[in-house]
Structures are given as structure tokens and as C-alpha cells.
Amino acid sequence: MARTSTHRNGLLACCAALSLWLVACGEPPDGPTAAPPAPVAPDTVLTDFVSRLKPTDPYRDPDPTERQTARRAVTLLVTGDHSGLPEASGLLAGLGFAASRGRDPQTGRDYALFVTEAGAARPWGLILVDLSQPVRLAVEVPHPNSDLHTEDIGLRLFRATPGSIMLVAGAHRRAGDGRADAAHNSQGLFQLASDRFARNRINQIQLHGFAEQSLPGAEMVVSDGQKRSTPALRRTADALDAAGFVACRAWTSRCGELEGTTNTQAEAARKQDAVFVHLEVTWTVRRVEDRRAELVAALVAADLPGR
């Protein structure tokens, strides 16, 4: 079993390095060869990845060595002009992430995509980086295939905001007997990446879903995990109101215990005095594609990358 796992991980690392090299350099040094296949569109990869996540999957947190590697890789991804991308790609390949680069057919902007295998021994997620400019907004999806369609909202917002990085949890929130719940796991790779965002002063928005009966009459809950306001929260709530959504503001109202007060990423961001928007979206909005598009337009109007 160990030999098979080592061989598979080695193949992943080689494929990741080759994919990135082919995109950057065009052809190997010993002459032309057949053109590599076009990268798969990020929405195709994302949809397939999310659909494979199951509550019965195993889960484990990264060990100390893996955490150190991941910390370095994420720091490289979000620092400066993306010159650290090759090193970050190699580090992530060693953690089981398959890497690819391409040009998004919807936006025309280049991206880098890293994804682990759903249900595998290292189920740590999907990272999508817009390469058109330095990273300035982190879009987070902690409960894929549980808070349904939050990954679609996240990708739409990623595409609408140049300079975004999208982080999707690598396991269903109930996997590993609930240990995989990324929004409440201080030892997971999702938490580690979010902490890197906060330390690098990258604003974060985290997308969640709730059922109508949890807060009748409201379509959104806006908070930062505490009952206080910030300019980013006020801009978000005001933009939602302007778009015709009914938003509960956690700093002025009781919002059905949907304020994210136990969210570990929110707590880490607070310690760094970093911008963090915790957004709960009702199913009546999430289930309708046009409403999801209207929500993303409102979030763009809120200038989430701004302080």
C-alpha cells in the first residue's frame, strides 16, 4: 500500500510540474512536439470535484511537516507578482495537489488551479488563483456539497473580481465524523490558508448557506463572526439592500444564530485585524441561477477588496 501511494503521489507531482512547464515554455528543449491538450475550464474541474465529496469519506489534518510546506506554498501564491508560482506549485504537488494553468474562457484571464483528489488520503481542497494581478480578495467555500451552490457563487465572484484567489474545502463537512468541517477546524489546511490571507492583508469573504426556517424573512446574514460592524460589512449589507435582497446585519439584529460566532477563520482574521465577511445565503437564493448572479453583482458593487 505504501509503495502504491508513493508511486501515485510521484505521478501527481510529475504531471503537475510538466503541466506548468508546458504552459510556460510551450515545448521541451529538444524540439517541437504535439501540442498538449487544452486545460479543462475551472468550472468543469470545480463541479466535478464538489460532486465527489461525500459525508462518509475519511479525513485527516495535515501533519506538522505538511503544514509547514502548505504555509510556504500559500504564502508564495498570495505574495507579489506571482513570481513564486513555480515554487508554490512544486510544494503543493508534494502535498497531493494536481496543478494546471490555463486561460479562463469566460474572462480571458490566466489562472492557476490546484486540486487534491476527493476522498483520498490527503483531502485538502481546491485553490484557484487569478494571475492577472496580485491577489487582493480571497473567496472561500468551506462547506462544498453541503451548502449547495456556494461553490458556484464563489466561482462567479472569483471571475467578477480580478486578482482573486478561491479556496474550497477538500472534504464534506461531515466527513471524518465531522472533523472535516473547515469552518470549525483550527488544524485543517483551509484554516492555514485563511490565516495566510489574513497575515498578508488580503480581504476574505466566506460563503455559507442556510435554510429558510432558520431565519424566516431574511435572505442573507452579514457578519464577521462577531456582533460588530466594519466598513466592508456595511458596504456589503448596503449593496445587498440596494439589489433588493433582505439582509440581516449581525451588528444591529439577532440573526438566528447564523452570525458565525464559532467560525475559526473569522477568529484568526480578528486577531490580525484583517477584513473578513461571513455571508450566509438562504436556499431560496442559492437554488436559482439568476438570483445567484444578482447576488454576485451586488457583492461586486460592495468593493470587497477595499478596506
Side-chain angles (χ1 to χ4, degrees):
M1 182 64 72
R3 180 178 299 174
T4 300
S5 177
T6 300
H7 178 67
R8 183 178 64 80
N9 290 340
L11 286 175
L12 279 172
C14 290
C15 290
L18 178 60
S19 175
L20 288 167
W21 191 90
L22 285 170
V23 173
C25 302
E27 61 184 40
D30 58 355
T33 186
V40 178
D43 45 345
T44 302
V45 177
L46 176 63
T47 300
D48 179 70
F49 173 73
V50 169
S51 70
R52 294 175 182 271
L53 303 178
K54 299 179 177 61
T56 54
D57 285 340
Y59 175 79
R60 74 169 177 88
D61 292 324
D63 64 31
T65 300
E66 292 164 335
R67 290 178 60 81
Q68 183 177 5
T69 300
R71 188 177 295 112
R72 171 65 177 164
V74 175
T75 300
L76 288 167
L77 288 179
V78 300
T79 301
D81 61 357
H82 304 296
S83 59
L85 181 61
E87 181 183 351
S89 299
L91 293 170
L92 289 170
L95 293 172
F97 285 84
S100 62
R101 284 181 63 176
R103 179 158 293 170
D104 187 347
Q106 286 201 18
T107 66
R109 302 195 302 268
D110 291 341
Y111 67 84
L113 176 64
F114 308 90
V115 60
T116 58
E117 183 181 349
R122 293 182 287 185
W124 295 330
L126 181 150
I127 304 171
L128 179 62
V129 189
D130 181 281
L131 301 178
S132 67
Q133 59 181 269
V135 174
R136 61 196 187 108
L137 177 68
V139 181
E140 300 172 1
V141 180
H143 298 146
N145 210 15
S146 178
D147 292 354
L148 299 178
H149 298 309
T150 51
E151 77 284 348
D152 179 68
I153 297 169
L155 182 60
R156 289 170 182 267
L157 182 57
F158 169 89
R159 283 173 158 162
T161 311
S164 292
I165 184 169
M166 184 175 176
L167 175 66
V168 182
H172 193 282
R173 68 184 302 175
R174 295 199 296 276
D177 295 324
R179 296 190 306 278
D181 185 347
H184 302 94
N185 179 4
S186 63
Q187 301 303 309
L189 191 143
F190 193 96
Q191 173 76 27
L192 182 152
S194 177
D195 182 69
R196 291 295 97 186
F197 302 154
R199 290 177 183 273
N200 283 272
R201 318 308 296 168
I202 295 168
N203 293 2
Q204 301 174 67
I205 178 169
Q206 191 169 109
L207 302 167
H208 294 260
F210 71 96
E212 293 90 330
Q213 59 266 31
S214 297
L215 190 62
E219 295 175 306
M220 313 278 167
V221 176
V222 183
S223 74
D224 66 351
Q226 302 179 71
K227 295 182 178 180
R228 64 182 184 119
S229 70
T230 67
L233 293 178
R234 293 192 294 272
R235 291 197 309 272
T236 300
D238 290 346
L240 292 172
D241 285 349
F245 293 104
V246 180
C248 184
R249 292 162 166 80
W251 57 97
T252 61
S253 305
R254 303 185 71 171
C255 299
E257 299 184 357
L258 295 168
E259 299 91 344
T261 56
T262 59
N263 184 292
T264 57
Q265 291 85 53
E267 176 62 15
R270 183 193 66 77
K271 291 179 179 178
Q272 298 296 326
D273 194 28
V275 173
F276 187 93
V277 177
H278 182 280
L279 183 66
E280 293 273 359
V281 184
T282 187
W283 175 237
T284 58
V285 173
R286 287 181 286 124
R287 70 184 178 188
V288 180
E289 184 175 358
D290 287 348
R291 294 284 275 163
R292 298 197 298 269
E294 292 168 0
L295 167 59
V296 169
L299 295 175
V300 171
D303 185 25
L304 292 168
R307 300 301 295 182

